[in-house]
Amino acid sequence: MTGPRPPQPARSAAWYGGDDLGSFLHRVFAKGMGYGDDELRRPVIGICSTWSELNHCNRGLRDIAEAVKRGVLLAGGLPLEFPTISLGEFFVAPTSMILRNLAAMDTEEMIRAQPLDGVVLLGGCDKTTPAQLMGAASANVPAIMVTTGPMLDGRFDGQGLGACTDCRRYWTEYRAGTVSAETMQALESALARSVGHCMVMGTASTMAALSEALGMMLPGGAAIPGPDSRRLLFAQQSGQHIVRLATERVRPSDIMTAAAFENAIRVLHALGGSTNAVVHLAAIAGRLGIDTPLDLFDRLSRETPWLANLRPAGQYQMERFFEAGGVPVVMKELEPLLHLDERTVTGRTVGENLAAVTVDERWRDTIAGRTEPLAAEGGLAILRGSLAPAGAVIKHAAASPELLAHRGRAVVFTSPDDLNRRIDDPELAVAADDVLVMQDAGPVGAPGMPEIGNLPIPQKLLAQGVRDMVRISDARMSGTSFGTVVLHVAPESAVGGPLAAVRDGDLIELDVPNRRLELLVPAEEIARRLREEWQRPPLAYRRGYGKLFLDHVLQAPEGCDFDFLRGQPDDIAAESAAPVTRR
Ligand code: FES
């Protein structure tokens, strides 16, 4: 099953087509795998797979890879699958985030090092999609993104459930004593019942949707459920498209432009998507020498309506979003706000893709219209002030409205360990209108900026019926989480940010409408505490990848990438590696 042979791009020709010892050896060992001259003169398409038995969300990728291969063969290319690092969100310790950059480096270097004219990036779980886009951006070889798709809705006791919004909701009730151990045990088998990634608008769904909004995924691909046969057809079509992208040499830098990132940020806000996307988009853009400052996120949030009624901010899950038309319908609603001339992997522009999209009015409860949005502004807000001079993020769409303007007394935990030791202590001096603060949970402090920013409500307050409080930290939180949670405080406390100066009893003011986060302590006193009392926490790693991470990780507003991996436009050379010529 092969289509007509398209012209061989220069990149694989440099490996296979020469009259030198190197090319001879490449042909010898390729033929040793059973390939003939015809195959070796075709565009070579790498299928960069994050399939792993240690990653639940990506376990469907074997079938998807086979469908991609079918598409590549139909279009006349030669598909070759290879593995890269896979990060299962809940299985990787101490946090998957610490390894995202390692996965991105693996993807970048394996694309660059091998005779590939194009790559199909197979991702799914939270970090795999951004890591692959980061690596592909730096390698800048033609690429297209295919994800595993969301799981089917969980089912329990007649209800539809969402992983892992309901994991957290039920766990809170279990801690409060309102749900039994037997119910929790039954839920263990009900929440994640199919292949695919988490099926709320968490980080995985958000990053898949933003791949589409960036133009790196075929329209409509993000929301097709993982077990749905249409996902295999989508994968096959992606395989067909990458052959054309490879022969026309349409590179990630041609698609992921500054304007494309603005489109993606608007879609993020319209979706009420994950706070983690702020970090990941900054990292992907940074690879291409494009800045996405936090103020850009905030400006676009103020101008972009929230449209997608999806959990954790809204009501529904990805299965219904797919039926409602998914990302193309959201983008159709946003059409007047988008840059329509940007190229996409279809070979057409954003505007040309949207010309084919129709909106079905019957699904307005799931994707609201631009003129009657769920809210006039997007789901995320950027805060600044004396507690976060370089910015912080809140998903106000998933917060308690009555807490969005709140002044309260700080109850401080000096580290994640301190929090775990004391949060449920009956002697903890805490009241419902206090502000819970956690230090040393940022990129350097934790390290790896784990998803623990949605601090648990103290058990004694749970017993009083409290279910939300203002919580502030330099950590991230899962895109599936909810609550009045201020995240990504920068600079983080472990590098001497003002968060490190907060003491029990200090007053903190959160003012989301005015985008303020203030530590109500005189500036001189904050400076004195940092100068005289703050000590840099001991470094968690002295060797290996952990040390590389601590030495080079950037703060959250710069995407937590490594300083030496960000690019300048001039760095983005196409076909930047060629095999050594041997005579
Ligand atoms: Fe993989 Fe949620 S655990 S997406």
Side-chain angles (χ1 to χ4, degrees):
M1 181 175 59
T2 51
R5 193 171 76 202
Q8 182 170 35
R11 202 158 191 277
S12 60
W15 264 264
Y16 294 123
D19 185 21
D20 61 87
L21 175 60
S23 294
F24 171 69
L25 292 173
H26 299 146
R27 290 191 293 270
V28 166
F29 286 96
K31 289 180 179 180
M33 292 188 283
Y35 300 110
D37 287 328
D38 179 51
E39 286 90 332
L40 298 181
R41 290 193 198 112
R42 291 172 180 269
V44 181
I45 303 301
I47 300 174
C48 177
S49 178
T50 49
W51 176 87
S52 164
E53 287 185 334
L54 286 166
N55 185 347
H56 163 274
C57 300
N58 290 15
R59 73 185 169 94
L61 285 178
R62 277 185 162 166
D63 287 347
I64 287 174
E66 290 308 312
V68 169
K69 286 178 193 171
R70 206 159 54 231
V72 171
L73 290 169
L74 282 170
L78 172 64
L80 298 173
E81 184 180 349
F82 65 100
T84 54
I85 292 171
S86 191
L87 303 170
E89 192 61 29
F90 292 117
F91 297 114
V92 173
T95 159
S96 62
M97 185 63 181
I98 206 167
L99 296 172
R100 184 205 61 180
N101 296 348
L102 183 65
M105 291 169 78
D106 180 2
T107 299
E108 174 184 346
E109 300 304 339
M110 287 303 99
I111 293 172
R112 184 180 289 123
Q114 304 187 84
L116 304 175
D117 299 305
V119 282
V120 182
L121 308 165
L122 301 189
C125 197
D126 288 14
K127 304 302 180 294
T128 54
T129 301
Q132 289 191 312
L133 288 173
M134 291 162 70
S138 294
N140 209 23
V141 167
I144 193 169
M145 189 81 224
V146 173
T147 48
T148 58
M151 286 183 269
L152 299 175
D153 289 1
R155 301 297 307 172
F156 180 71
D157 209 14
Q159 306 173 58
L161 297 180
C164 242
T165 304
D166 284 307
C167 315
R168 299 171 205 288
R169 185 169 67 84
Y170 272 97
W171 190 256
T172 298
E173 295 305 322
Y174 176 57
R175 289 178 69 240
T178 59
V179 162
S180 69
E182 291 71 33
T183 296
M184 295 305 291
Q185 192 177 10
L187 281 165
E188 286 178 8
S189 304
L191 278 155
R193 70 184 175 102
S194 76
V195 291
H197 56 69
C198 289
M199 67 297 234
V200 296
M201 187 46 78
T203 306
S205 299
T206 301
M207 293 312 301
L210 299 189
S211 303
E212 217 180 301
L214 279 168
M216 290 294 291
M217 180 189 284
L218 292 181
I224 305 168
D228 194 303
S229 57
R230 285 167 284 192
R231 178 152 293 279
L232 298 179
L233 180 59
F234 155 70
Q236 177 183 307
Q237 290 166 340
S238 301
Q240 291 172 276
H241 273 277
I242 189 62
V243 176
R244 184 185 47 73
L245 292 169
T247 51
E248 295 175 6
R249 294 162 71 184
V250 180
R251 302 172 298 159
S253 62
D254 298 321
I255 293 173
M256 291 194 282
T257 61
F261 280 98
E262 290 198 9
N263 286 347
I265 293 170
R266 285 198 188 273
V267 170
L268 167 66
H269 292 313
L271 292 173
S274 168
T275 48
N276 289 319
V278 178
V279 177
H280 295 319
L281 283 177
I284 300 163
R287 293 303 187 95
L288 294 163
I290 298 169
D291 284 330
T292 54
L294 288 180
D295 292 342
L296 175 65
F297 281 88
D298 201 61
R299 176 172 66 78
L300 297 182
S301 180
R302 288 178 186 274
E303 298 170 359
T304 306
W306 173 29
L307 302 177
N309 190 6
L310 299 170
R311 301 177 78 201
Q315 199 176 348
Y316 301 117
Q317 293 166 166
M318 293 298 284
E319 242 183 290
R320 191 173 173 102
F321 184 56
F322 172 59
E323 290 185 80
V327 176
V329 169
V330 172
M331 292 182 73
K332 186 74 177 175
E333 287 297 330
L334 296 180
E335 197 167 10
L337 300 173
L338 297 178
H339 300 285
L340 299 176
D341 295 333
E342 298 310 298
R343 291 173 90 166
T344 73
V345 290
T346 62
R348 298 185 296 271
T349 64
V350 172
E352 288 166 345
N353 290 342
L354 291 179
V357 177
T358 54
V359 176
D360 186 338
E361 295 292 328
R362 292 173 300 170
W363 294 97
R364 282 303 190 200
D365 63 342
T366 308
I367 303 176
R370 184 174 66 251
T371 53
E372 290 181 273
L374 300 172
E377 290 189 7
L380 304 181
I382 304 301
L383 308 170
R384 287 186 191 271
S386 57
L387 189 48
V393 177
I394 185 169
K395 186 170 185 171
H396 57 132
S400 301
E402 68 277 11
L403 289 175
L404 293 176
H406 181 80
R407 182 183 287 205
R409 201 179 57 115
V411 175
V412 181
F413 301 93
T414 56
S415 68
D417 284 346
D418 182 39
L419 177 117
N420 287 333
R421 270 194 305 274
R422 297 194 296 122
I423 190 73
D424 288 337
D425 184 342
E427 301 301 318
L428 182 70
V430 65
D433 58 357
D434 287 342
V435 174
L436 301 181
V437 175
M438 180 169 63
Q439 299 164 330
D440 284 2
V444 173
M449 208 182 177
E451 292 187 333
I452 54 176
N454 55 324
L455 280 58
I457 304 297
Q459 207 149 21
K460 69 182 193 184
L461 296 182
L462 282 176
Q464 295 168 21
V466 177
R467 291 294 183 271
D468 194 12
M469 298 173 71
V470 176
R471 291 162 271 175
I472 299 173
S473 74
D474 44 14
R476 297 176 302 116
M477 77 172 180
S478 164
T480 64
S481 297
F482 50 89
T484 312
V485 181
V486 178
L487 302 154
H488 310 185
V489 168
E492 64 171 303
S493 62
V495 299
L499 184 67
V502 186
R503 301 287 177 263
D504 280 335
D506 288 347
L507 282 181
I508 290 176
E509 183 157 48
L510 170 67
D511 181 356
V512 176
N514 291 303
R515 305 297 202 252
R516 305 299 301 165
L517 182 65
E518 304 289 353
L519 175 59
L520 301 177
V521 170
E524 314 78 64
E525 172 61 10
I526 295 174
R528 188 200 65 74
R529 289 179 186 176
L530 291 175
R531 193 174 57 246
E532 297 177 10
E533 298 176 5
W534 176 71
Q535 289 188 329
R536 188 175 291 273
L539 295 178
Y541 298 101
R542 289 185 299 168
R543 62 167 298 282
Y545 175 76
K547 176 159 169 45
L548 182 79
F549 183 92
L550 290 176
D551 286 348
H552 294 284
V553 71
L554 296 165
Q555 292 288 286
E558 295 153 306
C560 297
D561 201 1
F562 293 154
D563 49 11
F564 61 88
L565 291 175
R566 284 172 70 86
Q568 297 300 320
D570 290 350
D571 298 336
I572 311 301
E575 298 153 11
S576 53
V580 175
T581 300
R582 282 176 274 194
R583 295 284 167 198

